[in-house]
Amino acid sequence: MRARLRAAAALAALLPLTACGIQETDVIEAGGGATIDVLPARQVGMILFFLSPDGLLMPSSRSADYEGADGGQQWPDGTGAAAPSVEETVSALLGGPVPPERSAGMDNDPSLPGPGTRVEVTVSDGSLELHLAAPLDGLSERAERQLVCTAAYAERAAGSAPVALRGTDGTRAPARCDLRPDPEPATTGTAPR
């Protein structure tokens, strides 16, 4: 009986070593990780970049069925209508977070111009120039990042459009939206002064 138990134990110990005839191989690279689009189609919504409680950019999508404070639509309802314009999207950013965004901890940088600031956009050769009826002096780098990323994603779904900010006191060099977190989020994605 003991001999049978020892034989069974030895056999059980050998089974994992045989691995059913599968030979060991090295890791085989098969491309990058899968990516998915978690942002809404621009025809039915807009992407606004607010700040998280720790100062990082945080995208927020608003769908076309969101009603503004006056009870009316803030942009076309997405039923075959045009996508929200860059001006409409940046104006919504300057209007600040709505209650659901605010309860998620999102906010605007205090140096960002307020609601009602006139916004105009010029597009030339794939670049944007965002005209604000406000001075840029005193605008923090985080506020610049909010404007650049919101305008870039409003213009192109991939957010790759370079954006130059123009205020009543001058123009900043074009900058691209960079959403990668870094140790100093206030300095990423802005143009040199």
Side-chain angles (χ1 to χ4, degrees):
M1 182 72 158
R2 284 188 171 183
R4 284 186 184 165
L5 286 176
R6 279 190 224 151
L11 182 59
L14 289 176
L15 282 176
L17 298 176
T18 61
C20 301
I22 299 173
Q23 296 180 351
E24 184 178 325
T25 63
D26 289 334
V27 174
I28 299 171
E29 293 293 327
T35 59
I36 59 170
D37 186 9
V38 295
L39 303 175
R42 292 183 308 145
Q43 290 79 11
V44 296
M46 60 176 70
I47 305 298
L48 308 173
F49 286 86
F50 294 109
L51 297 178
S52 68
D54 57 358
L56 298 174
L57 281 185
M58 179 181 280
S60 177
S61 62
R62 288 192 190 165
S63 64
D65 60 359
Y66 176 77
E67 291 188 4
D70 62 357
Q73 295 293 329
Q74 291 185 327
W75 61 86
D77 66 3
T79 57
S85 70
V86 176
E87 289 92 345
E88 290 171 310
T89 304
V90 172
S91 292
L93 172 73
L94 298 179
V98 295
E101 294 162 339
R102 193 167 294 283
S103 69
M106 297 180 189
D107 207 353
N108 274 340
D109 186 89
S111 70
L112 208 64
T117 302
R118 190 171 43 93
V119 177
E120 295 177 9
V121 174
T122 304
V123 180
S124 176
D125 296 326
S127 295
L128 295 174
E129 187 168 86
L130 181 62
H131 306 264
L132 298 170
L136 297 180
D137 189 38
L139 195 63
S140 75
E141 291 182 37
R142 289 189 308 185
E144 287 183 28
R145 291 181 69 214
Q146 283 187 265
L147 289 166
V148 166
C149 289
T150 298
Y153 274 86
E155 176 63 19
R156 292 191 194 146
S160 59
V163 179
L165 300 177
R166 174 179 281 185
T168 57
D169 58 351
T171 303
R172 302 269 166 85
R176 292 188 184 270
C177 179
D178 185 358
L179 297 177
R180 292 175 295 169
D182 68 27
E184 298 178 41
T187 61
T188 304
T190 59
R193 295 184 185 208

